[in-house]
Amino acid sequence: MRHAQDGAAAAMNAASRVLVVRGKNEPQEFENPDVAWATRAREGVWAPTKDGQRIHIAIECAAGDRAATVLRPSLRVFVGIEVDTDIVAQTTASGIRLVTVLHGPEAPAEFRFPVTLSDGLVLETMPSGGFDVVHVRYGATVGRFYTPWACDSMFRPINADYRLDGSTVVMRVQHQGAIYPVVADPLYAR
């Protein structure tokens, strides 16, 4: 198994390379006091909603729960959450992103993010392929999981989508035949 610092550096390099090419429209890292990260992947993160509540997003780890390598308060890496897979977890001004880095063909095609919502909130599937967090009483969208994207190291688009399994957001990345690393991006914002 890779050393945590080496793994964190490899994940950061892969993610940075892709995010720089994607351009200015990418959400930037930001120290957001409304976001609270746990120290372990399965404990996840608490992110704000527009109505002042919080949602909890965890990272399921088939390879065993992983502690974060904290690079800055707003940036951490979970090394080895799956076979050949790391997650670069970033705080943004309005939420979080979980940049998933697949290092090789042995990486799984599905990644699970269990979501716990406050009372009165539900996840609704959107035509775009994302999910809105909706306040049931008022019908207002108070948060959003944006449609995932993925690309390989040649910056070619890779098919990625979500499905909902109970209250777990499942990201599927069809990375067969890709040039690795592949980077995929679940993004939540209030």
Side-chain angles (χ1 to χ4, degrees):
M1 181 176 213
R2 296 175 284 156
H3 183 273
Q5 290 292 6
D6 294 341
M12 281 299 304
N13 287 338
S16 295
R17 199 170 147 236
V18 169
L19 296 176
V20 164
V21 169
R22 283 185 55 95
K24 292 184 250 181
N25 294 330
E26 290 299 306
Q28 299 300 306
E29 178 185 342
F30 185 82
E31 285 194 43
N32 183 339
D34 295 330
V35 173
W37 291 95
T39 57
R40 305 197 68 75
R42 285 197 176 137
E43 296 167 354
V45 60
W46 290 264
T49 62
K50 286 181 184 174
D51 65 345
Q53 298 187 69
R54 289 181 178 261
I55 71 167
H56 179 254
I57 306 164
I59 302 168
E60 238 178 61
C61 306
D65 199 7
R66 299 290 189 227
T69 301
V70 179
L71 304 176
R72 295 184 284 276
S74 55
L75 187 66
R76 62 207 64 240
V77 180
F78 296 98
V79 176
I81 60 127
E82 298 280 352
V83 173
D84 279 346
T85 307
D86 305 320
I87 288 186
V88 177
Q90 179 184 47
T91 304
T92 67
S94 61
I96 60 112
R97 73 189 310 179
L98 299 168
V99 181
T100 308
V101 181
L102 292 66
H103 295 283
E106 298 300 314
E110 286 193 351
F111 302 92
R112 301 175 61 82
F113 304 97
V115 176
T116 305
L117 300 170
S118 299
D119 287 340
L121 300 180
V122 295
L123 284 174
E124 286 189 5
T125 304
M126 302 312 307
S128 65
F131 295 105
D132 277 2
V133 178
V134 176
H135 191 287
V136 175
R137 182 173 180 192
Y138 301 109
T141 297
V142 297
R144 176 169 290 147
F145 286 90
Y146 286 88
T147 306
W149 60 263
C151 70
D152 70 8
S153 67
M154 300 299 291
F155 310 108
R156 296 180 302 189
I158 303 291
N159 289 333
D161 64 5
Y162 288 141
R163 70 178 175 83
L164 199 55
D165 181 10
S167 63
T168 298
V169 173
V170 180
M171 180 179 68
R172 298 180 290 199
V173 181
Q174 299 173 20
H175 60 92
Q176 315 82 332
I179 307 293
Y180 296 92
V182 167
V183 176
D185 184 33
L187 169 64
Y188 167 81
R190 64 174 164 202

